[in-house]
Amino acid sequence: MENHFDTSKLIRVSLHEVENQLELSLRQAFESLQPKLRPPFSLEIPEPQEYLELNKAIVYGVLCEPSSSKTHIKHLHALVTDGYAFFTSLLIGIVVELYVKLVDSAKIQLICVTKEMIDVSSVGIEDLLVSLLRRIGSGDYGDQNVWLCSELVSLFLEKWDCLLEDMPLVLTSALYSFLRLLADHYRVLGVAKLENVKRLEIKLCVKMFREQFHLGLKIGRDLILLLQDLSHVSEFREIWNDLVSSHCSDIYQLKTSSRYFLLRITPEMETQLRFLLGNVKLGSHKRHQMWFLKKFLLGPEKETLLIDIVRFVCCVIHPTNEIIRSEIMPRWAIIGWLLELCRQNHHIERSVKLALFYDWLFFNERMDNIMNVEPAALLMVWSIPQYPHITHSLLEFVLHLVETYEITSRDIIVRGLTSAFREIERKGVIRSLDIFLTNPALAPDLKKKLANLLSCHHEKVPVNLHQLSVPSKQTFLSSEANLKECSTKIFDTPDQKLDNSVENPAKHEIPG
């Protein structure tokens, strides 16, 4: 019997692997329609079903027969009746489902046919470009990944005018992706093949800021987060200074759309994170975490992914009320685990904490989603009974940001942090802020700083976190006993096992 391994020209598969249905349908269409794929082409308009099959056959032919790809593309141009919508949707499916298995020649052809689709402004081309951007792995400096990064940044430069005219927002997605990748690339020393990629990334990003600054602003407040990691790079120093002096306060008020956080998460990673946070119960989560760790996070260079995962979990994965009420692994628990993974790298640890608290700094209850700040709040609360040092570390970090993060915007940050703390109490994410303000497990100086922060903003007086006394312990006693009764160990040494007896400190639900 002929096996799949011998017949597929599109992907690499193991001998016993189950056939992928998308690849199978493309291959079968190509094999069954071979006579119609060679000139002279029929002038008859195909029936709807035959049209779909011809599109599948042409996709397979373009990717698997480089020497005949121009003929296949001419056939497509003569055939198309839907603005290339179905053809492009097939390419998107290949990028999402099959990219990691594609043979090298098919990857090269994929970039070529993508350029062709840009030239004809195909329906769905923006989604195809975004899907390709998601395929550039963070912390991956292998030849294949560096090649893809180089090809895509070159594509955006080469097709700049066309993209700007027809689909300008995809340039904003490219800017987000390459600013984030560039920061990683500058942390790596001694990788010669990255030098040309970095030059191209700088060229594209600087071009965006100099020529289409308004498109860059559409990223929102995370644009500042991206740029601050590049402020030491000479080409970005002036841009950074201009942004800080003229636009920072305005940009901080612009919430970043969730679509940007997807750009640095591969489809496979997204699937696993959604599965972890939507199906896996506390107590049976360990093997899933370990699989995720081995699949996506092994190696010191992969630690940079933790920043993107935390932003994704906070700002994209918002559980339903049914999940919140269940025993399914909560977001705060997985973020606690991710923080544990980067304890040895202080730079990454600080960046992960900033990713966790970033929306707190500029929180506006009228615009921002409470679910973006919920994970950090619950992680601090649930760490108190058995791991108060985690609560202390997180609270100390976020309060320190008031004094050190973007001094010129201190009033905005004080207002944002205060609004976030008040809103998590008002919405029932936690029962009372007294769990921080009167907790004997937390250092007195830290409680004073928090009390001062909340009082100073409320009374509209200058910020000095070292003043003011702390409320009495009496209000805390009943809630402390209740919290200890149903608390969890975030990390058991050495296997980092989470207890499955967790409930939310307050059974909050997503507000309607």
Side-chain angles (χ1 to χ4, degrees):
M1 179 179 176
E2 192 174 40
N3 62 58
H4 185 213
F5 185 80
D6 293 331
T7 57
S8 178
K9 297 178 182 178
L10 183 63
I11 59 175
R12 297 185 182 93
V13 288
S14 61
L15 201 57
H16 303 292
E17 189 172 343
V18 176
E19 286 186 314
N20 178 276
Q21 292 304 304
L22 174 59
E23 190 277 340
L24 180 62
S25 70
L26 299 178
R27 176 161 45 91
Q28 288 178 339
F30 179 79
E31 291 170 352
S32 66
L33 294 172
Q34 278 274 13
K36 296 188 176 183
L37 298 176
R38 310 297 177 199
F41 303 123
S42 172
L43 298 177
E44 294 182 12
I45 298 176
E47 295 295 324
Q49 186 57 40
E50 186 184 7
Y51 177 79
L52 299 180
E53 293 301 306
L54 278 167
N55 272 265
K56 292 179 183 179
I58 292 171
V59 164
Y60 194 87
V62 167
L63 297 182
C64 299
E65 295 185 336
S67 61
S68 302
S69 63
K70 288 185 179 179
T71 300
H72 291 306
I73 290 295
K74 286 180 180 178
H75 189 188
L76 177 67
H77 291 330
L79 176 75
V80 71
T81 59
D82 63 349
Y84 304 87
F86 185 63
F87 185 86
T88 304
S89 73
L90 292 172
L91 293 176
I92 293 170
I94 289 168
V95 174
V96 173
E97 288 188 42
L98 301 175
Y99 185 83
V100 294
K101 298 179 180 180
L102 290 179
V103 298
D104 292 350
S105 59
K107 289 179 179 178
I108 294 171
Q109 288 302 110
L110 180 60
I111 298 297
C112 292
V113 74
T114 298
K115 292 178 181 180
E116 191 75 30
M117 292 301 99
I118 292 173
D119 289 341
V120 297
S121 298
S122 74
V123 175
I125 183 60
E126 291 182 67
D127 292 334
L128 175 58
L129 289 169
V130 166
S131 297
L132 284 167
L133 285 170
R134 293 184 69 188
R135 280 298 173 192
I136 306 174
S138 295
D140 180 354
Y141 308 111
D143 289 344
Q144 287 287 322
N145 196 59
V146 172
W147 171 83
L148 178 61
C149 189
S150 178
E151 286 294 314
L152 286 180
V153 72
S154 297
L155 180 152
F156 280 100
L157 285 166
E158 178 187 338
K159 301 295 183 181
W160 172 272
D161 291 336
C162 184
L163 294 172
L164 185 60
E165 181 178 351
D166 296 335
M167 54 204 87
L169 281 180
V170 81
L171 291 173
T172 309
S173 294
L175 177 64
Y176 183 98
S177 294
F178 291 116
L179 283 174
R180 183 70 188 87
L181 289 164
L182 192 53
D184 288 348
H185 294 165
Y186 261 94
R187 290 193 191 105
V188 180
L189 301 176
V191 182
K193 60 191 172 185
L194 279 178
E195 294 307 310
N196 184 57
V197 175
K198 285 193 287 189
R199 282 193 292 271
L200 291 171
E201 289 169 335
I202 289 171
K203 183 178 180 180
L204 177 65
C205 293
V206 170
K207 186 178 179 69
M208 275 289 290
F209 282 115
R210 295 302 184 209
E211 299 180 20
Q212 299 295 327
F213 182 70
H214 67 287
L215 289 178
L217 291 181
K218 290 185 181 297
I219 290 174
R221 64 174 66 124
D222 274 67
L223 180 63
I224 306 293
L225 197 59
L226 295 167
L227 263 179
Q228 71 181 32
D229 284 338
L230 294 168
S231 58
H232 65 285
V233 179
S234 58
E235 291 87 347
F236 290 98
R237 199 167 295 132
E238 185 180 348
I239 295 170
W240 171 253
N241 291 335
D242 289 346
L243 207 61
V244 169
S245 61
S246 306
H247 301 282
C248 246
S249 59
D250 294 330
I251 298 174
Y252 286 145
Q253 306 307 313
L254 301 175
K255 186 173 66 172
T256 297
S257 169
S258 60
R259 68 175 176 270
Y260 294 109
F261 302 117
L262 280 162
L263 287 166
R264 302 310 321 127
I265 302 292
T266 65
E268 293 81 10
M269 199 181 303
E270 178 187 2
T271 298
Q272 291 304 317
L273 285 169
R274 290 191 184 279
F275 180 78
L276 266 175
L277 295 166
N279 299 275
V280 176
K281 291 185 177 181
L282 282 166
S284 61
H285 63 284
K286 181 182 174 182
R287 64 188 180 91
H288 296 282
Q289 283 186 177
M290 291 303 105
W291 183 90
F292 188 89
L293 176 67
K294 292 174 183 177
K295 177 73 174 177
F296 301 113
L297 299 174
L298 279 188
E301 69 281 357
K302 294 287 188 180
E303 285 183 322
T304 184
L305 264 170
L306 299 174
I307 303 165
D308 302 306
I309 293 173
V310 167
R311 289 303 283 153
F312 174 77
V313 169
C314 288
C315 302
V316 180
I317 298 185
H318 290 172
T320 63
N321 290 329
E322 182 182 3
I323 289 176
I324 288 174
R325 290 190 295 264
S326 74
E327 296 180 359
I328 288 172
M329 189 176 189
R331 296 183 301 160
W332 66 263
I334 199 165
I335 287 175
W337 173 62
L338 295 174
L339 276 167
E340 186 77 1
L341 294 178
C342 62
R343 280 192 308 172
Q344 304 305 314
N345 186 326
H346 297 307
H347 174 77
I348 294 294
E349 183 183 26
R350 184 189 181 282
S351 296
V352 169
K353 287 179 178 178
L354 184 57
L356 177 62
F357 282 107
Y358 193 63
D359 288 309
W360 287 62
L361 303 183
F362 318 107
F363 189 82
N364 182 332
E365 63 275 8
R366 293 187 300 274
M367 178 184 71
D368 285 281
N369 193 324
I370 189 67
M371 298 304 287
N372 290 5
V373 300
E374 181 238 42
L378 293 183
L379 178 57
M380 288 191 290
V381 168
W382 282 113
S383 298
I384 288 173
Q386 308 220 19
Y387 297 96
H389 67 279
I390 293 177
T391 306
H392 185 281
S393 171
L394 293 173
L395 201 52
E396 183 179 51
F397 175 82
V398 73
L399 292 174
H400 185 63
L401 290 175
V402 176
E403 306 289 347
T404 59
Y405 190 83
E406 191 46 58
I407 301 301
T408 59
S409 299
R410 183 178 294 181
D411 287 346
I412 294 173
I413 291 171
V414 169
R415 184 165 60 249
L417 276 175
T418 305
S419 296
F421 274 110
R422 294 297 184 196
E423 194 70 359
I424 62 175
E425 181 182 51
R426 191 177 75 84
K427 290 285 178 67
V429 175
I430 63 174
R431 290 193 178 94
S432 171
L433 291 176
D434 288 340
I435 203 163
F436 301 124
L437 292 169
T438 63
N439 196 317
L442 299 179
D445 183 58
L446 201 60
K447 290 183 284 189
K448 279 186 179 182
K449 287 183 179 181
L450 177 58
N452 193 23
L453 173 74
L454 298 174
S455 299
C456 284
H457 178 64
H458 180 71
E459 298 170 15
K460 306 291 185 184
V461 297
V463 181
N464 184 339
L465 298 186
H466 296 278
Q467 295 176 351
L468 296 186
S469 59
V470 182
S472 69
K473 290 194 279 187
Q474 188 171 356
T475 18
F476 175 69
L477 295 177
S478 60
S479 60
E480 179 190 31
N482 183 59
L483 184 59
K484 283 188 175 180
E485 183 180 344
C486 57
S487 67
T488 180
K489 291 184 177 182
I490 295 181
F491 305 114
D492 283 343
T493 305
D495 63 359
Q496 298 184 336
K497 183 177 180 181
L498 286 155
D499 196 312
N500 68 347
S501 61
V502 180
E503 298 177 26
N504 286 329
K507 284 291 186 180
H508 71 286
E509 296 187 357
I510 301 172

